[in-house]
Amino acid sequence: MFDFSTTVNLLSYSFVQQAVLAAALLGLLAGAIGPLIISRQMSFAVHGTSELSLTGAAAALLAGIGVGLGAIVGSVVAAVLFGVLGTKARERDSVIAVVLSFGLGLSVLFLWLGPERAGSKFSLLTGQVVSVGYSGLALLATCTVLVLAVLAMVYRPLLFASSDPEVALARGVPVRALSVVFAVMLGITAAFGVQIVGALLVLALLITPAAAAAQLTANPVRATVLAVVFAEIAAVGGILLSLAPGVPVSTFVTTISFLIYLICRVVGPQRRRAARTARTA
């Protein structure tokens, strides 16, 4: 099933190289913003954003335009709605559920009205990284640079607003504006994640690596570095392992992410106990 020579041979094809590069860029994006998603308690929002990218993609499929562009528009619109309407923690889950159910209803309508392209419809759910192409890779690289540049500029106030929004607001931090900025970055990342692992499994790259990193350290910078490393291992490793057997990439990406999380769940408490013992000795 896992034939090394077949994997090496497939890596000589340009579309496979593009897929690996796309996965590496997505791993970088997902690892960079994942710890902030955990800190802002927005895991459900990621699920909602990724599924509502399906609405944008389905609308694009119906209109006969680029599915990737439609997914980005759908994700960004959904993320901005979540960011604007769900600033209060007690309302966040209900706002996401309301918008999500409406968006999925539209998805069903668009897919029903659309042409019979079963392959395209299935790839919206499970991802199709080998179809990224040069144009998609260029768009992903451009968006990666833009998102990381914006993140670098707003990282400190965004981290403050994510950790303690009430105190941040009292000290003059523009919490609502930062919520919208973060929502746009989240929407763009989720849209590209949908193309790699599909709308149903994008949590495996945006949440699981960051959740695993949080088991090992409470330092936000270290957690971000670890999340990037874990996301890269899951995304790139998932593609490499899927080449020879021809199994969908999402299967390996989710499995690797889950195994990393389980290992960190075991190692993290042991490290904390060892640190407490060293302090009391």
Side-chain angles (χ1 to χ4, degrees), residues 164-249:
D164 197 335
E166 294 180 355
V167 174
L169 186 62
R171 294 191 177 182
V173 176
V175 174
R176 181 178 286 271
L178 286 171
S179 295
V180 174
V181 171
F182 183 72
V184 173
M185 291 191 292
L186 172 60
I188 292 173
T189 306
F192 285 115
V194 167
Q195 297 180 51
I196 306 293
V197 295
L200 298 179
L201 304 172
V202 73
L203 290 173
L205 283 180
L206 269 74
I207 301 300
T208 308
Q215 296 293 322
L216 299 181
T217 180
N219 183 292
V221 176
R222 292 176 188 166
T224 301
V225 173
L226 285 173
V228 169
V229 172
F230 294 158
E232 293 287 358
I233 293 173
V236 178
I239 287 183
L240 295 179
L241 289 176
S242 70
L243 290 177
V247 176
V249 173

Side-chain angles (χ1 to χ4, degrees), residues 117-198:
R117 298 171 186 167
S120 298
K121 294 174 182 177
F122 184 70
S123 70
L124 295 178
L125 299 176
T126 62
Q128 188 59 269
V129 65
V130 293
S131 64
V132 170
Y134 284 116
S135 59
L137 187 60
L139 181 61
L140 175 56
T142 302
C143 289
T144 300
V145 171
L146 290 175
V147 169
L148 293 180
V150 172
L151 184 61
M153 287 188 289
V154 302
Y155 182 76
R156 290 181 67 84
L158 181 61
L159 181 63
F160 187 18
S162 302
S163 304
D164 197 335
E166 294 180 355
V167 174
L169 186 62
R171 294 191 177 182
V173 176
V175 174
R176 181 178 286 271
L178 286 171
S179 295
V180 174
V181 171
F182 183 72
V184 173
M185 291 191 292
L186 172 60
I188 292 173
T189 306
F192 285 115
V194 167
Q195 297 180 51
I196 306 293
V197 295

Side-chain angles (χ1 to χ4, degrees), residues 5-101:
S5 61
T6 302
T7 300
V8 172
N9 180 52
L10 288 172
L11 282 172
S12 64
Y13 291 93
S14 60
F15 70 91
V16 177
Q17 296 168 1
Q18 293 163 13
V20 173
L21 283 174
L25 290 172
L26 178 62
L28 180 61
L29 268 181
I33 73 168
L36 288 167
I37 297 172
I38 298 290
S39 178
R40 298 172 71 85
Q41 301 179 16
M42 292 182 66
S43 299
F44 187 36
V46 173
H47 178 67
T49 303
S50 63
E51 295 217 0
L52 288 178
S53 71
L54 180 67
T55 306
L61 193 65
L62 177 63
I65 60 177
V67 172
L69 179 61
I72 293 175
V73 173
S75 291
V76 170
V77 170
V80 169
L81 284 175
F82 295 157
V84 172
L85 301 178
T87 53
K88 296 179 180 178
R90 66 176 183 276
E91 297 178 348
R92 191 169 297 151
D93 281 354
S94 58
V95 166
I96 295 170
V98 168
V99 177
L100 176 61
S101 58

